[in-house]
Amino acid sequence: IDNNQNEKAISLYEQYNGKHNDITNSLFIKACTNIGDADKGIKLIKSTTDGSIEFINSVINFYGKIGDVNNAVNTFNNIPENKKNIVTIGAMMNCFIDNNQNEKAISLYEQYNGKHNDITNSLFIKACTNIGDADKGIKLIKSTTDGSIEFINSVINFYGKIGDVNNAVNTFNNIPENKKNIVTIGAMMNCFIDNNQNE
């Protein structure tokens, strides 16, 4: 799977049919997600009566990637509250964002106020960017004192999309050189391009 050979992973899984657990089931779902094989993924999901939160998170991700938001929501809603974790929240947010339901991603983020990390923060910023909700995005940015490079990249992208080139540049300039990556450079370039500063 890590080497983009998802069909081989699926074949290996099917070859050893009786030797599976939540880890191999999650990997199978991930491989199906990567190649868009909805039928095999759904077949496994329907045959699995119970699973770890890691498996359930991969199911939510799978449904999101194949555009089946209703089943993703049903799966999410059937998880006991004490079992949901940050990855669960992120998977559901990502499902909403991938399927142009950004308001629902924002609402979910706000509902689970204590279950956030740089990934869910980045997804929140992405959803705010997609619908142009500058106020909510800025509020999160101002309340976050430190973040991963992935979060900072999403902040640069956000500022670029709302036309705030100065804050994008300030954010970019405050990143240590050894922390900047290709995505950082691309986000800053996109900011300039989107705001007609091509030189």
Side-chain angles (χ1 to χ4, degrees):
I1 296 172
D2 288 342
N3 293 299
N4 210 19
Q5 297 184 21
N6 297 287
E7 291 86 355
K8 287 183 180 179
I10 291 170
S11 177
L12 185 65
Y13 177 93
E14 292 170 335
Q15 182 181 345
Y16 291 95
N17 198 16
K19 298 183 178 186
H20 299 300
N21 60 16
D22 279 348
I23 295 170
T24 57
N25 287 343
S26 295
L27 290 169
F28 181 79
I29 291 293
K30 183 177 181 181
C32 291
T33 303
N34 290 346
I35 64 169
D37 193 334
D39 294 336
K40 286 184 179 180
I42 290 169
K43 184 177 177 184
L44 172 65
I45 292 166
K46 287 184 177 180
S47 70
T48 306
T49 56
D50 196 21
S52 68
I53 191 64
E54 292 76 19
F55 175 70
I56 296 168
N57 291 343
S58 68
V59 169
I60 293 169
N61 184 56
F62 168 78
Y63 281 135
K65 295 298 181 195
I66 66 168
D68 190 347
V69 178
N70 288 336
N71 270 320
V73 169
N74 289 339
T75 302
F76 182 84
N77 288 339
N78 286 328
I79 303 168
E81 286 301 317
N82 65 342
K83 201 173 178 186
K84 291 175 183 171
N85 60 26
I86 291 172
V87 178
T88 312
I89 308 306
M92 195 65 243
M93 287 179 68
N94 212 29
C95 171
F96 286 138
I97 292 167
D98 286 348
N99 291 282
N100 296 316
Q101 297 182 22
N102 296 285
E103 292 88 355
K104 289 182 180 179
I106 291 169
S107 176
L108 185 71
Y109 178 92
E110 292 170 338
Q111 180 183 344
Y112 289 93
N113 198 18
K115 293 188 177 182
H116 299 305
N117 63 7
D118 278 350
I119 294 170
T120 56
N121 288 343
S122 295
L123 290 169
F124 181 81
I125 292 294
K126 183 176 182 179
C128 290
T129 303
N130 290 345
I131 63 169
D133 192 333
D135 293 337
K136 286 185 180 181
I138 290 169
K139 184 178 176 184
L140 173 65
I141 292 165
K142 287 185 176 180
S143 70
T144 307
T145 55
D146 195 22
S148 68
I149 190 63
E150 291 76 18
F151 175 69
I152 296 168
N153 292 342
S154 68
V155 168
I156 293 169
N157 184 55
F158 169 78
Y159 281 136
K161 295 297 181 194
I162 66 167
D164 189 346
V165 178
N166 287 337
N167 269 321
V169 169
N170 289 340
T171 303
F172 181 84
N173 288 339
N174 286 329
I175 303 169
E177 287 301 318
N178 63 342
K179 201 173 177 186
K180 292 176 183 170
N181 60 26
I182 293 171
V183 178
T184 313
I185 309 302
M188 195 64 244
M189 290 176 67
N190 267 332
C191 174
F192 288 136
I193 293 167
D194 289 346
N195 291 283
N196 296 318
Q197 296 185 20
N198 296 296
E199 292 83 21

